[in-house]
mmCIF file of all heavy atoms in Angstrom:
data_model
loop_
_atom_site.group_PDB
_atom_site.id
_atom_site.type_symbol
_atom_site.label_atom_id
_atom_site.label_comp_id
_atom_site.label_asym_id
_atom_site.label_seq_id
_atom_site.Cartn_x
_atom_site.Cartn_y
_atom_site.Cartn_z
ATOM 1 N N CYS A 26 98.502 71.552 43.458
ATOM 2 C CA CYS A 26 99.747 71.380 42.638
ATOM 3 C C CYS A 26 100.786 70.571 43.370
ATOM 4 O O CYS A 26 101.042 70.807 44.504
ATOM 5 C CB CYS A 26 100.386 72.787 42.326
ATOM 6 S SG CYS A 26 101.797 72.749 41.229
ATOM 7 N N GLY A 27 101.361 69.564 42.637
ATOM 8 C CA GLY A 27 102.273 68.768 43.262
ATOM 9 C C GLY A 27 103.600 69.017 43.109
ATOM 10 O O GLY A 27 104.627 68.296 43.269
ATOM 11 N N ILE A 28 103.868 70.131 42.512
ATOM 12 C CA ILE A 28 105.358 70.581 42.263
ATOM 13 C C ILE A 28 105.925 71.145 43.524
ATOM 14 O O ILE A 28 105.240 71.896 44.363
ATOM 15 C CB ILE A 28 105.337 71.614 41.054
ATOM 16 C CG1 ILE A 28 104.761 71.054 39.853
ATOM 17 C CG2 ILE A 28 106.784 72.150 40.950
ATOM 18 C CD1 ILE A 28 105.459 69.795 39.364
ATOM 19 N N ASP A 29 107.069 70.924 43.801
ATOM 20 C CA ASP A 29 107.815 71.301 45.052
ATOM 21 C C ASP A 29 107.704 72.799 45.227
ATOM 22 O O ASP A 29 107.993 73.566 44.456
ATOM 23 C CB ASP A 29 109.342 70.882 44.815
ATOM 24 C CG ASP A 29 109.945 70.978 46.251
ATOM 25 O OD1 ASP A 29 109.324 70.668 47.229
ATOM 26 O OD2 ASP A 29 111.227 71.183 46.208
ATOM 27 N N GLY A 30 107.191 73.112 46.495
ATOM 28 C CA GLY A 30 107.080 74.383 46.819
ATOM 29 C C GLY A 30 105.873 75.205 46.338
ATOM 30 O O GLY A 30 105.734 76.378 46.475
ATOM 31 N N CYS A 31 104.940 74.489 45.710
ATOM 32 C CA CYS A 31 103.743 75.117 45.209
ATOM 33 C C CYS A 31 102.564 74.439 45.733
ATOM 34 O O CYS A 31 102.468 73.179 45.869
ATOM 35 C CB CYS A 31 103.747 75.022 43.717
ATOM 36 S SG CYS A 31 102.404 75.876 42.929
ATOM 37 N N SER A 32 101.522 75.225 46.044
ATOM 38 C CA SER A 32 100.257 74.599 46.681
ATOM 39 C C SER A 32 98.989 75.262 45.913
ATOM 40 O O SER A 32 97.946 75.296 46.479
ATOM 41 C CB SER A 32 100.162 74.660 48.084
ATOM 42 O OG SER A 32 100.211 75.968 48.505
ATOM 43 N N ALA A 33 99.163 75.706 44.712
ATOM 44 C CA ALA A 33 98.046 76.311 44.003
ATOM 45 C C ALA A 33 97.089 75.200 43.517
ATOM 46 O O ALA A 33 97.452 73.977 43.416
ATOM 47 C CB ALA A 33 98.570 77.057 42.858
ATOM 48 N N PRO A 34 95.851 75.551 43.237
ATOM 49 C CA PRO A 34 94.944 74.548 42.922
ATOM 50 C C PRO A 34 95.397 73.825 41.571
ATOM 51 O O PRO A 34 95.843 74.664 40.617
ATOM 52 C CB PRO A 34 93.659 75.328 42.611
ATOM 53 C CG PRO A 34 93.795 76.564 43.404
ATOM 54 C CD PRO A 34 95.313 76.883 43.458
ATOM 55 N N ALA A 35 95.160 72.586 41.446
ATOM 56 C CA ALA A 35 95.739 71.947 40.282
ATOM 57 C C ALA A 35 94.705 72.002 39.033
ATOM 58 O O ALA A 35 93.413 72.025 39.337
ATOM 59 C CB ALA A 35 96.007 70.402 40.548
ATOM 60 N N VAL A 36 95.130 72.055 37.877
ATOM 61 C CA VAL A 36 94.197 72.101 36.744
ATOM 62 C C VAL A 36 94.443 70.861 35.882
ATOM 63 O O VAL A 36 93.638 70.520 35.022
ATOM 64 C CB VAL A 36 94.477 73.333 35.869
ATOM 65 C CG1 VAL A 36 94.015 74.671 36.700
ATOM 66 C CG2 VAL A 36 95.808 73.492 35.392
ATOM 67 N N ARG A 37 95.555 70.172 36.070
ATOM 68 C CA ARG A 37 95.860 69.080 35.249
ATOM 69 C C ARG A 37 96.759 68.119 35.963
ATOM 70 O O ARG A 37 97.362 68.434 36.974
ATOM 71 C CB ARG A 37 96.685 69.514 33.978
ATOM 72 C CG ARG A 37 95.886 70.011 32.803
ATOM 73 C CD ARG A 37 96.576 69.507 31.618
ATOM 74 N NE ARG A 37 96.620 68.035 31.531
ATOM 75 C CZ ARG A 37 96.851 67.289 30.387
ATOM 76 N NH1 ARG A 37 96.811 67.936 29.325
ATOM 77 N NH2 ARG A 37 96.914 66.012 30.395
ATOM 78 N N SER A 38 96.974 66.867 35.403
ATOM 79 C CA SER A 38 97.975 66.118 35.984
ATOM 80 C C SER A 38 98.808 65.421 34.880
ATOM 81 O O SER A 38 98.290 65.188 33.863
ATOM 82 C CB SER A 38 97.371 64.967 36.906
ATOM 83 O OG SER A 38 96.707 64.036 36.110
ATOM 84 N N TYR A 39 100.058 65.178 35.200
ATOM 85 C CA TYR A 39 101.009 64.477 34.259
ATOM 86 C C TYR A 39 101.691 63.371 34.883
ATOM 87 O O TYR A 39 101.704 63.392 36.161
ATOM 88 C CB TYR A 39 102.072 65.524 33.747
ATOM 89 C CG TYR A 39 101.468 66.697 32.885
ATOM 90 C CD1 TYR A 39 101.296 67.890 33.318
ATOM 91 C CD2 TYR A 39 100.984 66.413 31.573
ATOM 92 C CE1 TYR A 39 100.778 68.921 32.730
ATOM 93 C CE2 TYR A 39 100.474 67.454 30.831
ATOM 94 C CZ TYR A 39 100.438 68.758 31.391
ATOM 95 O OH TYR A 39 99.859 69.680 30.624
ATOM 96 N N SER A 40 102.254 62.594 34.175
ATOM 97 C CA SER A 40 103.110 61.655 34.880
ATOM 98 C C SER A 40 104.340 62.209 35.376
ATOM 99 O O SER A 40 104.768 63.273 34.920
ATOM 100 C CB SER A 40 103.574 60.506 33.807
ATOM 101 O OG SER A 40 104.524 60.991 32.915
ATOM 102 N N LYS A 41 104.817 61.695 36.447
ATOM 103 C CA LYS A 41 106.006 62.230 37.176
ATOM 104 C C LYS A 41 107.148 62.386 36.188
ATOM 105 O O LYS A 41 107.867 63.358 36.217
ATOM 106 C CB LYS A 41 106.334 61.336 38.293
ATOM 107 C CG LYS A 41 107.649 61.718 39.121
ATOM 108 C CD LYS A 41 107.754 60.960 40.219
ATOM 109 C CE LYS A 41 109.137 61.155 40.917
ATOM 110 N NZ LYS A 41 110.006 60.085 40.660
#
Side-chain angles (χ1 to χ4, degrees):
C26 184
I28 302 303
D29 195 29
C31 184
S32 58
V36 295
R37 277 219 58 160
S38 70
Y39 294 106
S40 72
K41 180 175 164 253

